[in-house]
Every structure is written in C-alpha cells, then in structure tokens.
Amino acid sequence: MKRGIRKAVSIVLTLLLGSFLAYRIHRELESVRALSIRYDYLLLVFLLGLAAYLVYTLVWYFLLQGIRKTPYRRLLELNLMNSYLAMTLNSALGNIVKAKYALDDWWASLAVISMATTFEILPGMVVGLIMGDLSMLPFLGLFLWAYVHPQSLYRVLARAFKSASRLPWIESYYMGWIGARRKFLAGFSVSLLQPLLLSLALYLTVRAFGFSVEYPKTLLAITYSTVIGSAVGTPGGIGGNELGITLAIGDVPAGATIAFVFKLLTQYVYAIFGAVPFYRLAAGEKTMRG
C-alpha cells in the first residue's frame, strides 16, 4: 500500500511539475523565437556537460578505491544506466540499481552515493551561505559532522536503527562511509570541477539566449537543482530540476526554457546512451538465469 501511495504521489508530482514547465515554456516560445540563439554556445554547453559527467564518474572511481577496486569504464556504464532509469522511472530507483552493481553491499554503496552527491552541491552551499541563503546550513552541518567525527553520528543513528531492528543497515552504511572517507581528498579535489563546469554551462546557456546572469547565481542554481530534483521524486527530477534553476537565477526572461535546454544538454541526453548498458545488463542476467 505504501509503495502504491509513493508511486501515485510521484505520478501526480510529475504531472503537476511537467505541466507547469510546459505551460511556462509555451508562454515563452514567442519571445524565444524572436531571439537570435547562439548555437555555438549551446555546443559548448553540451561539451561542458560531458566533461562534468566524466568528472562525476571519476569522483565515484576515487571514492570506491577505498572500498573495492572498480574499473572506471564499469562505473561510467553504471552512471549511464542510472541516468536511463532515473529518466524513465525515478532517480531513487536509478541509484538503487547503480548501488547494487557498484558494490556487493547496497547500504555501503548508498554511503558512497551520499558523499558524491554532497560533493556535487557543496560549492553551491558555500556560495549560498555567502549570499545569505541559510537553507542549506543544516545539510552542511550534517556533512561536517559526518566527516569530522563519524563515530559519534553513527552512535546516534545506530540507536534509531536498532530500535527498528535494522542495525545491520546503518553498520553497512557506516563502513561504506569510512571506506569512501579514506579517499576523501582525491574525490573532493576532483569533485570541485563538476559544479564549476555545470555552473559555467548554465551561464553560457543563459548567454546563448541573449540574456545575462551573475555567475554566483548559476553556481547556486546547480545546488538548488540537485536538491529539489532529488527531493520531488519525479522521473529524472524533471520539473524539480528546472524549478530549482529558475528559483536561483531569478527573473530571467525565458527562464523555464533556458532551464530545460540546460538540463537536456547536460543531464537528460545521457538517458538515451544509458539504455544501451541497461539492456545489455538485463540481457546478460536473463541469459545467466536461462
């Protein structure tokens, strides 16, 4: 029953956010048609998005070295598969499947996902705090606690999991976090490139449509997009991603259209490529069962 409710809520949110996004883009189409769009800028946006995607996979590569040696190509295939599942179903399921094949222990994989995601939004959190946005302060504080003294946070969480008879879950998560933490410096150093590349891509997307926005706002927008897109639970975070971007960049003409084009070129396009490793993996498992 609970699963059915979650599915219904996800469908309703997808319809609402998707409809709102379509409505906004429909209203903006006339103004967009009148613009002289810079397609050379959009090509740069695609290339920056590709670089950011490869960097994200490299972050995973480094973090997993503290737990188990995994080839970079294998992780790239898993991330592409995650993109496909996140876009066709939802990001949570994509992460579940990716976690299953990245490590033998799902909860340990989830710890790596948590650290990699935090790396992705950390620069935007800092920029947000500098600009007076305190909404991300609890997330930043929790991450610092988990990094500086994970043992004390583990003891707090272990009580709750133990009372729910799920202590092995948090134990596995803790061990995964400690393993990834061993490669924190390498993973974090590389991860700084991802939001910088994506924020530059968003900045160029705005410029491609003939408008301008301050660069710090585009960096903040990446954080908003990641957090809201993950929270709403819609397929690929669609609607939530664009909402996060438009909230951060402010009153930019054709903002919804710009946000959608940016996400299309830097995120949604990889769902197409991700279908290949997904169905290849599915075919391989079917063969093994047969």
Side-chain angles (χ1 to χ4, degrees):
M1 182 65 181
K2 289 182 179 179
R3 184 178 297 178
I5 292 174
R6 286 197 299 268
K7 185 176 181 180
V9 170
S10 177
I11 292 172
V12 171
L13 280 173
T14 303
L15 291 174
L16 288 175
L17 289 171
S19 299
F20 174 72
L21 181 62
Y23 169 73
R24 281 287 303 274
I25 292 176
H26 177 73
R27 288 189 59 187
E28 294 170 357
L29 278 178
E30 287 302 320
S31 62
V32 170
R33 288 195 191 102
L35 297 175
S36 178
I37 300 174
R38 294 285 304 269
Y39 291 100
D40 55 337
Y41 279 9
L42 294 182
L43 176 60
L44 287 174
V45 170
F46 172 76
L47 294 175
L48 287 167
L50 175 60
Y53 201 86
L54 295 175
V55 164
Y56 175 69
T57 305
L58 189 59
V59 172
W60 260 79
Y61 175 79
F62 281 129
L63 293 181
L64 283 174
Q65 298 310 299
I67 306 172
R68 189 181 74 182
K69 305 292 183 184
T70 308
Y72 179 86
R73 181 177 176 177
R74 172 65 169 168
L75 293 175
L76 182 58
E77 289 179 344
L78 289 176
N79 277 330
L80 286 170
M81 187 172 66
N82 178 33
S83 296
Y84 171 73
L85 289 172
M87 195 65 203
T88 53
L89 297 170
N90 62 60
S91 56
L93 181 60
N95 277 328
I96 288 172
V97 174
K98 181 171 71 172
K100 175 185 176 183
Y101 291 101
L103 289 173
D104 297 330
D105 192 309
W106 186 84
W107 281 90
S109 277
L110 188 60
V112 179
I113 291 172
S114 301
M115 187 171 287
T117 302
T118 304
F119 285 174
E120 185 179 355
I121 64 178
L122 200 55
M125 288 184 188
V126 175
V127 170
L129 290 173
I130 293 172
M131 296 176 68
D133 184 351
L134 303 180
S135 62
M136 295 294 165
L137 192 58
F139 295 100
L140 183 59
L142 184 63
F143 172 72
L144 290 175
W145 184 7
Y147 175 72
V148 174
H149 205 275
Q151 295 87 350
S152 60
L153 180 57
Y154 164 72
R155 285 194 291 269
V156 171
L157 294 175
R159 293 192 189 99
F161 277 81
K162 187 175 182 179
S163 64
S165 301
R166 294 292 184 268
L167 186 59
W169 291 3
I170 194 62
E171 287 177 344
S172 296
Y173 185 96
Y174 174 71
M175 295 308 297
W177 181 271
I178 293 299
R181 186 169 169 263
R182 296 190 189 107
K183 298 296 181 178
F184 173 87
L185 187 58
F188 179 68
S189 299
V190 174
S191 74
L192 291 175
L193 290 172
Q194 188 190 7
L196 295 176
L197 290 167
L198 289 175
S199 56
L200 180 57
L202 178 56
Y203 177 80
L204 288 176
T205 307
V206 176
R207 293 299 302 271
F209 283 84
F211 305 111
S212 62
V213 66
E214 296 174 354
Y215 178 75
K217 282 189 175 181
T218 64
L219 188 55
L220 187 61
I222 300 305
T223 297
Y224 278 24
S225 174
T226 302
V227 173
I228 297 178
S230 300
V232 297
T234 59
I238 193 166
N241 280 321
E242 291 77 10
L243 177 62
I245 290 172
T246 53
L247 284 174
I249 63 178
D251 190 20
V252 174
T257 303
I258 290 170
F260 179 75
V261 170
F262 165 74
K263 295 305 293 188
L264 176 66
L265 294 176
T266 61
Q267 178 182 336
Y268 302 148
V269 67
Y270 296 105
I272 301 170
F273 301 114
V276 177
F278 173 73
Y279 286 109
R280 187 166 58 200
L281 179 66
E285 286 203 338
K286 191 174 182 181
T287 302
M288 285 188 288
R289 289 195 199 101

